[in-house]
């Protein structure tokens, strides 16, 4: 089946209305994308903001009269809402296969590979984590995840206990276990992320070493559980708020790996962690940072 996509440039005020109209007039799928360099990194809690310049795209079968749809939308919503649009014809293909071709095995450090299940393993003797893109964040393609995997690959994890705070797909915890950790606690406020972590742990045969926790470790767990390493790939605001909490979850001389941090947020994070941690490494990929540190002795507990 051949397809065409109708792309309409609009403003935030009209994005929802235009998306609903495209669906009403038969779009098989509707997506919204930034049509300018206008990133939204940390939206306020409870909001779903759109970019100042948004492209709303409707996917239609090739035989649909898109000009007629534009006319109908104009009559329904007013002509000023649809001021600029373009129609693109899409080559008939197996979309699942085309999507899969974008993902290749990725190497981190000397011995860690993240491999999609449909690709051949490049190095059978390496640590090969099998992970397919899914609903939860974390496939190794985003710079923050890649920075954390590189940092993990430098750690001596043999026999350690680790915490993956904001685990997403579980990629960091699973990698840690496969690199030698005895156990990993995976914490997230999204049940879907915990399910993805469980599925990926089972796929990699490490599910017995992966422990799931919704939102937080309880105070009782904190008293009984001290980790050798904590990884948090979230965002700067929650990272600053969680510094003391993270210190309480770690042994003396334990390590911490933090990411989801923009370069202009470096000093904010360093200052927030300074009472409990010595920062010993900052690495960067594009505009994103990974900050590594070690607990100061007897400053928590």
């Amino acid at each position: 089946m051949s397809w065409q996509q109708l792309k309409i440039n609009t403003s935030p005020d009209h994005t929802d209305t235009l998306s609903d109209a495209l669906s009403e007039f038969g779009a098989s799928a509707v997506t919204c994308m930034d049509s300018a360099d206008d990133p939204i990194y940390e939206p306020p809690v409870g909001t779903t903001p759109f970019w100042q310049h948004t492209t709303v795209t409707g996917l239609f079968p090739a035989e649909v009269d898109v000009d007629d749809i534009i006319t109908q939308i104009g009559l329904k919503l007013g002509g000023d809402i649809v001021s600029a649009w373009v129609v693109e014809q899409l080559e008939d293909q197996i979309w699942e296969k085309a999507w899969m071709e974008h993902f290749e095995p990725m190497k981190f450090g000397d011995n860690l590979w993240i491999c999609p299940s449909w690709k051949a393993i490049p190095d059978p003797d390496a640590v090969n984590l099998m992970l397919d893109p899914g609903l939860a964040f974390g496939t190794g393609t985003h710079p923050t995840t890649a920075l954390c995997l590189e940092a993990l690959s430098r750690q001596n994890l043999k026999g350690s206990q680790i915490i993956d705070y904001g685990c997403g797909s579980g990629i960091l915890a699973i990698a840690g276990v496969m690199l030698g950790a005895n156990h990993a606690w995976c914490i997230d406020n999204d049940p879907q992320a915990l399910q993805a972590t469980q599925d990926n742990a089972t796929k990699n045969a490490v599910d017995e070493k992966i422990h799931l926790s919704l939102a937080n470790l309880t105070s009782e767990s904190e008293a009984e559980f001290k980790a050798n390493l904590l990884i948090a790939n979230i965002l700067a605001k929650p990272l600053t708020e969680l510094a003391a909490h993270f210190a309480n979850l770690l042994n003396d001389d334990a390590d911490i790996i933090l990411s989801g941090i923009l370069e202009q947020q470096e000093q904010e994070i360093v200052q927030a962690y300074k009472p409990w941690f010595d920062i010993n490494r900052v690495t960067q990929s594009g505009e994103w940072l990974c900050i590594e540190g070690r607990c100061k002795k007897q400053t928590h507990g």
Side-chain angles (χ1 to χ4, degrees):
M1 184 175 184
S2 296
W3 298 88
Q4 56 185 330
Q5 51 186 12
L6 170 61
K7 293 185 172 182
I8 304 173
N9 293 334
T10 191
S11 64
D13 294 341
H14 297 144
T15 299
D16 283 332
T17 304
L18 189 53
S19 299
D20 291 343
L22 287 170
S23 296
E24 179 183 342
F25 293 127
S28 299
V30 178
T31 58
C32 299
M33 297 184 65
D34 182 14
S35 56
D37 187 13
D38 184 27
I40 300 172
Y41 293 117
E42 295 189 60
V45 175
T47 67
T48 308
F50 286 108
W51 306 275
Q52 289 302 308
H53 303 280
T54 301
T55 298
V56 182
T57 302
L59 183 68
F60 294 91
E63 64 273 13
V64 168
D65 185 348
V66 174
D67 288 337
D68 182 58
I69 289 174
I70 290 291
T71 300
Q72 292 185 61
I73 291 175
L75 291 172
K76 181 180 178 65
L77 305 179
D80 58 329
I81 289 183
V82 183
S83 57
W85 72 90
V86 64
V87 178
E88 296 178 352
Q89 301 299 319
L90 300 180
E91 180 183 351
D92 190 14
Q93 56 184 309
I94 301 173
W95 289 103
E96 181 181 8
K97 182 178 179 181
W99 170 76
M100 290 166 64
E101 289 175 353
H102 289 287
F103 294 92
E104 297 288 342
M106 295 171 287
K107 187 178 183 182
F108 301 93
D110 295 329
N111 199 41
L112 174 64
W113 285 87
I114 308 299
C115 305
S117 61
W118 57 84
K119 295 285 187 177
I121 294 173
D123 181 1
D125 296 326
V127 175
N128 293 293
L129 195 165
M130 309 306 294
L131 187 79
D132 296 339
L135 293 174
F137 175 82
T139 62
T141 57
H142 193 275
T144 60
T145 309
L147 287 167
C148 288
L149 289 167
E150 290 283 354
L152 265 179
S153 73
R154 294 191 294 268
Q155 292 277 330
N156 179 9
L157 297 175
K158 187 175 181 180
S160 64
Q161 301 200 71
I162 65 177
I163 296 171
D164 182 359
Y165 204 101
C167 60
S169 68
I171 183 173
L172 300 177
I174 295 167
V177 167
M178 295 180 72
L179 287 168
N182 277 353
H183 297 281
W185 285 82
C186 301
I187 303 165
D188 209 290
N189 59 9
D190 182 358
Q192 195 172 67
L194 297 181
Q195 183 61 56
T197 297
Q198 180 64 60
D199 293 344
N200 288 324
T202 300
K203 183 183 296 184
N204 287 279
V206 296
D207 45 309
E208 292 184 359
K209 296 184 176 182
I210 298 291
H211 310 280
L212 308 178
S213 179
L214 185 64
N216 217 330
L217 286 177
T218 65
S219 57
E220 181 180 355
S221 298
E222 288 182 24
E224 298 174 357
F225 179 81
K226 296 289 185 180
N228 309 102
L229 171 68
L230 186 147
I231 316 155
N233 181 18
I234 44 180
L235 289 170
K237 187 175 186 298
L239 283 176
T240 57
E241 295 170 350
L242 288 165
H245 179 60
F246 285 171
N248 284 329
L249 296 174
L250 293 169
N251 288 318
D252 287 341
D253 293 333
D255 292 315
I256 195 163
I257 299 172
L258 309 172
S259 197
I261 305 160
L262 293 166
E263 57 183 328
Q264 63 266 29
Q265 297 168 331
E266 177 180 353
Q267 288 309 308
E268 174 188 352
I269 299 298
V270 169
Q271 290 303 312
Y273 281 76
K274 189 175 181 179
W276 301 279
F277 297 89
D278 291 316
I279 303 303
N280 51 39
R281 186 191 292 256
V282 178
T283 51
Q284 185 166 357
S285 178
E287 60 190 337
W288 296 100
L289 302 180
C290 179
I291 296 177
E292 298 174 56
R294 174 161 290 189
C295 282
K296 296 178 179 179
K297 287 187 177 181
Q298 299 178 355
T299 59
H300 61 271

